[in-house]
């Protein structure tokens, strides 16, 4: 069997993935990438080394922690801060996967002379008849993580194993408990891993200083001033609560204009649109699309969004238009749109810009 380098986060998913690979007869090596140093005692929830080391001990596999803090800062944290300052709402996990986690694990895979890397993501890796690799939705849709994986490269996917595609979260926890893995009941992390208190605005102010935009105007769709906002980093598209001002009727964030330092408010109906524009497109199951070419698909515009019927239209300059059959709510610049075929395989994805 193969030698496999698995990323151990300290959570139950990667622990059980390592257990399953060992059960299959693979020579398994555990690694943890330390991605964030808060300057205090708190670790990032993506690299809890003590728990990961204990998992490796229970599974009786070699274990190596590696420092990746500089790469993580450059590839994930700095862009996260810059995007918020520019009026976007980024998803840092999507950037971390190809540019830090897989990039570093692939490097150490070569150093340790392994054949594959593996993770505890709920997804399948498919090798298609056209020679390309993609990811396919997990059997249990509630845990599917393909949305987070669309930026992986062909080379990364060709050397990746994902053992949890068939399993539900309950089954994973049962396996961990049955084999005395200490993190069997460890809660899932829901927040940004490098913002332990989930206060991303304070985090941005702490690390960006005077670059953070200050107060500005709430305006309606015609540009009429409705009041003052406390800074654009506090808002995202579709937000209603926490605006800090009463308007006498429900209003929602429709647009964040960083250039004017304005937050545009509208009623709920104005948040719906048939058309979404993307850049930074990465294709998985197909090599690409030529300008003017169209392709039917299902597309989701956020992690928890149910993929909806749409047509992709390739544009000049590497951009891509998504034309939904039914309008979608609150497409958010900085988030990702991911496209699927009828077999639940990822065609590709891109960053929403409008």
């Amino acid at each position: 069997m193969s030698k496999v380098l698995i990323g151990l986060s300290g959570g139950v998913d990667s622990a059980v993935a390592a257990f399953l690979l060992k059960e299959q007869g693979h020579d398994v090596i555990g690694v943890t990438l330390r991605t964030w140093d808060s300057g205090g005692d708190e670790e990032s929830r993506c690299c809890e080394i003590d728990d990961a080391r204990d998992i490796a001990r229970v599974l009786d596999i070699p274990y190596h922690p590696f420092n990746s803090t500089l790469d993580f800062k450059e590839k994930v944290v700095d862009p996260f801060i810059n995007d918020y300052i520019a009026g976007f709402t980024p998803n840092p996990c999507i950037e971390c996967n190809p540019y830090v986690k897989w990039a570093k694990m692939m490097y150490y895979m070569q150093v340790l002379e392994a054949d594959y890397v593996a993770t505890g993501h709920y997804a399948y890796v498919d090798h298609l008849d056209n020679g390309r690799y993609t990811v396919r939705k997990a059997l249990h849709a509630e845990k599917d993580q393909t949305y987070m994986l669309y930026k992986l490269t062909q080379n990364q996917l060709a050397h990746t194993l994902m053992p949890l595609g068939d399993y539900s979260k309950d089954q994973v926890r049962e396996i961990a408990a049955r084999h005395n893995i200490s993190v069997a009941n460890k809660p899932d992390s829901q927040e940004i891993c490098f913002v332990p208190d989930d206060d991303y605005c304070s985090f941005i102010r702490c690390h960006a200083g005077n670059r953070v935009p200050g107060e500005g105007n709430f305006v309606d769709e015609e540009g009429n001033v409705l009041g003052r906002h406390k800074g654009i980093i506090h808002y995202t598209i579709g937000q209603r609560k926490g605006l800090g001002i009463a308007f006498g009727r429900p209003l929602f964030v429709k647009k964040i204009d960083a250039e004017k330092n304005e937050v545009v408010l509208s009623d709920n109906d104005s948040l719906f649109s048939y058309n979404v524009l993307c850049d930074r497109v990465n294709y998985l199951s197909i090599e690409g699309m030529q300008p003017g070419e169209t392709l039917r698909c299902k597309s989701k515009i956020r992690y928890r969004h149910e993929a909806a019927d749409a047509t992709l239209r390739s544009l000049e300059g590497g951009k891509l238009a998504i034309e939904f059959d039914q309008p979608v709510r609150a497409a958010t610049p900085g988030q990702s749109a991911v496209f699927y075929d009828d077999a639940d395989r990822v065609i590709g994805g891109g960053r929403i810009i409008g």
Side-chain angles (χ1 to χ4, degrees):
M1 300 297 285
S2 302
K3 182 184 283 191
V4 181
L5 192 76
I6 183 160
L8 292 178
S9 67
V12 66
D13 297 329
S14 59
V16 171
F19 170 81
L20 293 171
L21 290 167
K22 187 176 179 182
E23 285 287 289
Q24 293 166 11
H26 295 290
D27 182 5
V28 180
I29 302 170
V31 300
T32 301
L33 304 178
R34 187 179 186 189
T35 53
W36 179 247
D37 182 358
S38 67
D41 296 329
E42 196 150 11
E43 290 277 6
S44 161
R45 286 183 296 268
C46 278
C47 55
E48 293 172 333
I49 291 173
D50 288 344
D51 282 344
R53 183 181 287 112
D54 185 64
I55 290 163
R57 179 189 59 79
V58 171
L59 297 180
D60 192 24
I61 60 174
Y63 175 72
H64 305 277
F66 295 112
N67 184 21
S68 301
T69 54
L70 292 179
D71 298 88
F72 189 76
K73 182 179 185 301
E74 177 188 351
K75 303 293 186 182
V76 179
V77 177
D78 289 347
F80 172 85
I81 292 169
N82 293 336
D83 278 352
Y84 262 107
I85 291 172
F88 290 91
T89 303
N91 190 322
C93 293
I94 288 176
E95 304 303 311
C96 181
N97 282 330
Y99 303 132
V100 180
K101 287 182 181 176
W102 261 263
K104 298 298 284 187
M105 286 200 299
M106 292 281 287
Y107 169 77
Y108 290 116
M109 178 190 78
Q110 295 176 319
V111 170
L112 297 172
E113 298 183 327
D115 305 295
Y116 293 96
V117 301
T119 70
H121 286 89
Y122 290 84
Y124 300 99
V125 178
D126 281 356
H127 190 193
L128 305 179
D129 291 341
N130 64 4
R132 294 185 65 83
Y133 289 85
T134 189
V135 286
R136 176 166 46 92
K137 287 184 179 181
L139 180 63
H140 298 271
E142 72 277 4
K143 287 301 296 181
D144 172 64
Q145 292 175 302
T146 52
Y147 177 87
M148 302 293 186
L149 302 170
Y150 79 89
K151 281 198 171 186
L152 295 180
T153 69
Q154 290 296 294
N155 185 51
Q156 287 170 341
L157 286 172
H159 292 89
T160 294
L161 302 177
M162 295 181 185
L164 298 188
D166 288 337
Y167 294 85
S168 70
K169 187 72 177 201
D170 287 344
Q171 289 173 317
V172 165
R173 292 196 183 280
E174 288 169 8
I175 292 170
R178 195 162 62 242
H179 295 279
N180 298 315
I181 297 173
S182 61
V183 295
N185 295 310
K186 186 176 180 178
D188 290 341
S189 173
Q190 303 294 331
E191 298 85 16
I192 299 168
C193 74
F194 54 92
V195 186
D197 57 3
D198 201 30
D199 185 356
Y200 70 91
C201 292
S202 292
F203 177 88
I204 293 169
R205 285 195 298 269
C206 177
H207 291 274
N210 58 13
R211 293 196 297 124
V212 179
E215 294 183 357
N217 288 329
F218 284 122
V219 299
D220 63 19
E221 293 179 88
E222 286 72 44
N224 300 307
V225 175
L226 302 175
R228 298 286 286 175
H229 66 69
K230 57 186 176 181
I232 63 172
I233 66 169
H234 294 270
Y235 308 99
T236 190
I237 307 303
Q239 179 178 338
R240 176 186 175 187
K241 295 182 179 179
L243 298 182
I245 189 171
F247 299 101
R249 61 190 175 95
L251 289 178
F252 301 80
V253 175
K254 179 176 183 178
K255 179 182 178 182
I256 297 170
D257 190 330
E259 186 174 338
K260 295 181 180 179
N261 195 26
E262 290 180 343
V263 176
V264 180
L265 303 179
S266 71
D267 60 22
N268 187 60
D269 289 345
S270 293
L271 298 177
F272 287 84
S273 173
Y274 285 94
N275 300 298
V276 174
L277 182 64
C278 295
D279 67 358
R280 301 182 185 178
V281 180
N282 186 58
Y283 293 98
L284 292 186
S285 67
I286 62 175
E287 187 172 350
M289 296 174 64
Q290 296 299 314
E293 186 178 355
T294 62
L295 181 66
R296 289 290 292 172
C297 72
K298 290 184 179 293
S299 180
K300 58 193 303 183
I301 59 169
R302 62 182 62 87
Y303 178 52
R304 295 298 183 189
H305 178 226
E306 184 175 351
D309 291 328
T311 299
L312 304 179
R313 185 178 304 277
S314 182
L315 307 175
E316 297 287 347
K319 291 184 173 62
L320 192 70
I322 313 170
E323 301 165 3
F324 285 93
D325 292 4
Q326 299 295 324
V328 292
R329 183 183 184 276
T332 303
Q335 293 288 292
S336 291
V338 179
F339 330 125
Y340 296 83
D341 64 19
D342 290 337
D344 288 333
R345 297 173 300 215
V346 173
I347 299 169
R351 182 183 70 159
I352 297 171
I353 58 173

